[in-house]
Amino acid sequence: ESIATGDLVAFRYDFESHLNDYATYKDSNNLKVAKVEKELNDYKATMQQVNINQEPKQKATGYGIVSLPKNAANGQVSAVVKGMTLKNELNYNRDTWAEWELLQGSTIESNNLKIAKFNSITVWLNANFKTNTKYGFIFYKVNSGTSRLSLSSSSAFNTNLWFTSNLTGSQYVKAIETTKSEITLNRVAFFTSETSEESMIIKDIRCFELPTGSEIENDFETLTADQLAQKYPYINGDGTKSTFGAIRFKSVNEDETKESTLYILGRDEEGNILELRSLPKGTKDEFNITEGKATIRTEEVVFNGSENWVYTATYSGENTIGFYLGIPDMKTSLGRNLICDKFIPSSTITEDIEQIYGGIGGPQGAAFIRIARSKLTTQDVAGFKAWLQANPVTLIYQLAEPIIIPVQVSGNLVTYPSGTIYIEPVVADAGVYTDKMTVLYQDLPIKVLEKLSKIDFMTGLETELDVSDAVIAEDKLSFTHPDLVDGDIVFFTYEYDRESTEGETEIEYYDSRYVVKDSVTGKFYKWHITVANGVPSIELKEV
């Protein structure tokens, strides 16, 4: 009625009222859906333990911690660790907010984003949001104004289609799960309510994809922004972090009276610790502790202007200019299966915005970059190279063929019924004490000494020392201890000080309901009862 009479102000208020009603309904409905999904997930987890086909082995997965069922046999296991790469999806320039489209009076004040009241919208284009995926947002509010947060498509601001909620508090953390719709979600938006009494001022917005079942996913639901930053320091920056390839597996039984440990360490040809990475469409590096190998499916490269870039008119537009670089080991036709710190990965380059695209460049893979013309001093390859020299670009892409690398595995990992396996950033080290004890792995500085012992060279007797008496050097690569002298043989374990994500770990264990362990050899056998002429007997088959 209001729009028919030309009363647009009234219509705006009517719309806002309906929007608020819908938001209330949707929040209630989302809660019900969440409860149903939890019940279904619990049911699914239970069904996975049924083992209808009576397979001798079963699998359990987790991030950082893997809990085992009571039917897990007491015996050796196999394990695979898959890499996880987390990137701040909102890598905007925090000094200028240049990548944000400011609408209806929104401004930048003292590096803060001020969103004007009366339904003002501030949008930043981003082509990396996937459907049916959960994202964690962190941002800080400078004032007490209220606002809404939404993910939407570029074709329309669909607040009714995507999540929307009032935001309050000086710091805010929110996990948002996108819908299963195939509509592209390529922007995040903040906007104030029609009933806002003041403008909304926010700063330092970050966003991360949250892997389902990971600890960080749960923490985004329960911790504050400051608590998250303390637990995961890398979320403070704009960079990308992956799973570090020095890991300890610690398996304990239900009452923690029994324990077994295994260490795995992977290094590249230059001797650097491997990083296990992942890409948006599921490509992941992994460690296999049973086979003692790493399968590397990704590569990280830094473009610094020294490369042989070529101008391409095909990927240039009115406001952007395109360049491409042949990359021989890149898998072709990657589309969005890339991670880049400064450009938006895209399946096709069709819009006049900054993007990066992995595709075919002649007989090999290639990276195509489309950059704003305004950023270059000259509109040619020389201008682009000069920009790269001042603004290096990091790209993670999929290799055309995986690389297999042997890794160092030491120790013995066994499972216990109802036990727990912890995946930790801990390494074991040993050496001869001089005036200090220097760590073997110079790229793994000490964060916390966990255990320290000296070994008698003649008898092999191990004497444990008090780690609290150790003094760690300023560079964290050595320590001293009052009970150690030159020539002492020292064994120690420590948590290293390197930022690392928690990759998905898959543990394969024997199902005690259908296998039995040989008490002498330790081998496992699947058993079943047979009957011949009325006489029962048990048959065994080694598994």
Side-chain angles (χ1 to χ4, degrees), residues 222-482:
T222 58
L223 302 183
T224 67
D226 288 340
Q227 290 170 333
L228 281 168
Q230 182 176 7
K231 186 171 183 179
Y232 307 101
Y234 54 82
I235 69 175
N236 282 329
D238 292 332
T240 300
K241 297 298 178 182
S242 300
T243 305
F244 213 58
I247 301 169
R248 181 178 71 182
F249 296 82
K250 183 172 71 174
S251 178
V252 298
N253 65 345
E254 188 173 14
D255 61 6
E256 299 188 355
T257 58
K258 297 180 180 179
E259 177 182 306
S260 66
T261 57
L262 180 144
Y263 296 87
I264 184 168
L265 181 71
R267 290 182 175 273
D268 60 20
E269 294 180 350
E270 288 74 36
N272 301 313
I273 304 294
L274 291 171
E275 285 193 66
L276 303 180
R277 296 177 288 256
S278 65
L279 289 171
K281 292 190 176 181
T283 301
K284 297 181 180 181
D285 301 329
E286 66 179 45
F287 278 162
N288 187 310
I289 68 168
T290 306
E291 300 177 1
K293 70 178 185 181
T295 302
I296 306 301
R297 300 183 175 92
T298 71
E299 182 61 274
E300 181 177 287
V301 62
V302 177
F303 302 138
N304 59 16
S306 63
E307 306 80 26
N308 296 320
W309 290 93
V310 179
Y311 165 76
T312 170
T314 304
Y315 295 110
S316 297
E318 179 181 356
N319 300 312
T320 56
I321 184 169
F323 304 90
Y324 76 88
L325 174 70
I327 303 180
D329 63 353
M330 175 188 276
K331 185 177 178 65
T332 60
S333 302
L334 288 178
R336 291 174 62 183
N337 198 30
L338 303 167
I339 292 178
C340 185
D341 64 340
K342 291 184 175 65
F343 295 96
I344 300 171
S346 177
S347 297
T348 56
I349 299 184
T350 57
E351 299 180 41
D352 201 15
I353 61 174
E354 291 188 313
Q355 295 171 299
I356 189 167
Y357 169 68
I360 300 175
Q364 60 188 13
F368 297 82
I369 289 181
R370 194 173 189 177
I371 186 171
R373 292 181 181 272
S374 60
K375 291 185 176 181
L376 306 186
T377 55
T378 59
Q379 304 296 299
D380 53 18
V381 171
F384 182 52
K385 287 186 175 183
W387 183 86
L388 286 175
Q389 289 174 4
N391 305 274
V393 173
T394 301
L395 174 68
I396 300 176
Y397 62 90
Q398 184 176 352
L399 291 167
E401 296 293 336
I403 299 173
I404 307 300
I405 301 175
V407 296
Q408 176 184 330
V409 179
S410 59
N412 185 40
L413 188 69
V414 299
T415 54
Y416 305 98
S418 301
T420 304
I421 296 178
Y422 299 91
I423 300 90
E424 304 168 315
V426 175
V427 293
D429 204 343
V432 177
Y433 192 85
T434 53
D435 58 336
K436 61 183 177 181
M437 187 68 237
T438 302
V439 300
L440 175 62
Y441 312 112
Q442 291 291 290
D443 44 2
L444 296 178
I446 301 170
K447 183 177 182 179
V448 178
L449 273 174
E450 180 188 66
K451 182 180 179 181
L452 173 61
S453 304
K454 63 179 179 180
I455 311 297
D456 187 284
F457 178 75
M458 300 300 295
T459 65
L461 178 66
E462 179 178 358
T463 303
E464 188 167 345
L465 306 179
D466 189 347
V467 294
S468 65
D469 291 335
V471 178
I472 300 173
E474 186 176 353
D475 63 5
K476 302 181 181 181
L477 297 178
S478 66
F479 64 88
T480 58
H481 196 283

Side-chain angles (χ1 to χ4, degrees), residues 189-208:
F190 283 88
F191 65 101
T192 55
S193 168
E194 190 70 57
T195 58
S196 297
E197 296 181 359
E198 60 179 319
S199 299
M200 171 75 173
I201 303 177
I202 56 178
K203 65 177 182 179
D204 202 12
I205 306 172
R206 286 154 289 157
C207 171
F208 300 89

Side-chain angles (χ1 to χ4, degrees), residues 92-98 100 102 105-115 122 201-202:
Y92 61 93
N93 186 322
R94 300 186 191 187
D95 293 329
T96 65
W97 295 69
W100 287 79
L102 305 181
S106 294
T107 57
I108 305 302
E109 297 182 3
S110 302
N111 295 337
N112 298 327
L113 178 61
K114 183 176 182 179
I115 308 171
T122 301
I201 303 177
I202 56 178

Side-chain angles (χ1 to χ4, degrees), residues 515-536:
V515 298
V516 61
K517 181 180 180 181
D518 189 307
S519 61
V520 176
T521 66
K523 295 181 179 179
F524 281 87
Y525 296 86
K526 186 175 181 180
W527 62 272
H528 67 279
I529 298 176
T530 62
V531 178
N533 199 25
V535 179

